[in-house]
Amino acid sequence: MVVSFIRLIRKTWKIKRPASEGELWTLRCMVIIPMITFMAASLPARQGDGFVQQVISLVRSDSLVRYVRELSGDTTVWVDDSLVRITTRSVQSGGNLLAQTYLAEKLRSYGLPVEVEHYNESRPRSANVIGLQKGTTAPRCTLIVCAHFDDIASGGTVPGADDNGSGAATVLEAARILSRQALPVTVVYAFWNEEEAGNIGSTAYARRSSQRKDSIIGVLNVDMTGFDSNNDGKVEIHANTYPRSHALAVMLNSVNTTYSMGLAPVTYIPGGSNSDHASFWNYGYGAIWLIEGYWSGDFNPGYHTAGDKIQRLNVGYFTKCSKLAIGSLAAFISAQPTTPVQEPDELPPKIALFQNYPNPFNPSTLIRYQLPTESHVTLTIFDPLGREIMTLVDATQTPGTRSITWNAGNLPNGVYFYRLRAGKFAETKKLVLMR
């Protein structure tokens, strides 16, 4: 269906072959975005997604608290082979550099390639930290989850536990969980610098993305989600009238309801522009801002002071907000097309069997493979003892990329295997059923 839409768009716009790679991915993401909006709007009526539920269940309060303690100087931490305390992350301080290294090392420990992006060579500390998880089927379509990591120190050290240790911790937790999965689209885990000076780091990134015509399908900016003095669970979602921004806001509200998060989201359209999401609005990208009671009257009184310590955080509320952010990210990913978007005349260069998605799964998963020539194909599921459970495919197939969904039904939890045979090619991969 996606390929048919691309054909129609190209015919309507009178685009002649061969199209540029950038043009193709722009068209592909144009098709994906309305699909996301539809999926987001229909989520409340759908049953819970197993992948989303699994991701939510993996969010741990102890991980979140540990990140905040380390980022706010409440405990010492190893950074660049030295035991240090990050007492402040003000851009004028050495603590800002320590925080950059800390974040980069954390992302690398999760197996992600990392760029410390220097956007102002005259100021060596002016750098964002960017972790990249490349998508498997639509790698040019990018979803960003982000937070600023700098804080502001006026006349002393500011721990910045809530502002924005809480947001940075949520992004780290998202990276810890999702880096283990094969995802269809590219996910960027971004930590912006100099938000406190006017969104400088995120503006530099958004400007560069616009110049390169990057296909950013959504930006989730997490900023201060740890304070709830009256336990009412209110959390604010700031969006604008861009369809992609609105789709993200709908998704967060839907995830809160569908997965019984226990929060009370308040959505503002148009919302405030006092954080890094506004940098992306300024360049036409869909973004939202997730924050505690900024407009609704329950904002951290220790904001921008030495009192912004972890002891002031409501850990239960903080964990729920992180689950909402990361669960919504997973739902947004789950709404993407899970088969590659290929030009009609483009043939795979070689035979290949891809890792199933999602993995682990419950109870269904998608298995993909590609054929460069016509072949007789068998695709078979085996149990851990090597006994054949079922044959999913046994047919002669024409060249192209194929996908098939396997529903494990009532099979018990555990490790299973799937084997593809096509001509002389044979390959086996592992999948995990986890209910």
Side-chain angles (χ1 to χ4, degrees), residues 5 224 323 363 379 388:
F5 271 115
M224 298 185 67
K323 286 186 174 186
L379 180 62
E388 182 177 324

Side-chain angles (χ1 to χ4, degrees), residues 108-128:
R108 290 190 184 104
S109 75
Y110 301 141
L112 298 169
V114 177
E115 177 188 6
V116 179
E117 178 195 54
H118 293 274
Y119 51 84
N120 188 331
E121 295 300 332
S122 65
R123 292 182 295 168
R125 292 192 179 102
S126 297
N128 300 318

Side-chain angles (χ1 to χ4, degrees), residues 311-393:
Q311 290 78 10
R312 197 183 289 268
L313 300 190
N314 182 326
V315 174
Y317 172 78
F318 175 31
T319 303
K320 289 177 182 179
C321 288
S322 295
K323 286 186 174 186
L324 176 62
I326 298 170
S328 298
L329 185 66
F332 209 64
I333 291 167
S334 189
Q336 315 306 314
T338 53
T339 54
V341 183
Q342 261 181 218
E343 279 296 283
D345 297 336
E346 181 184 352
L347 294 179
K350 63 179 182 179
I351 192 167
L353 176 65
F354 300 104
Q355 187 63 50
N356 64 301
Y357 173 84
N359 190 41
F361 67 98
N362 173 30
S364 298
T365 189
L366 190 84
I367 299 172
R368 297 188 304 108
Y369 56 93
Q370 63 184 28
L371 305 170
T373 59
E374 183 175 290
S375 305
H376 185 86
V377 174
T378 59
L379 180 62
T380 312
I381 305 292
F382 297 89
D383 70 9
L385 298 178
R387 295 175 299 201
E388 182 177 324
I389 294 176
M390 66 179 66
T391 298
L392 301 179
V393 179

Side-chain angles (χ1 to χ4, degrees), residues 34 41 101 104 135 141 148 196 232 370 381:
T101 306
C141 297
H148 76 90
E196 301 290 4
D232 64 358
Q370 63 184 28
I381 305 292

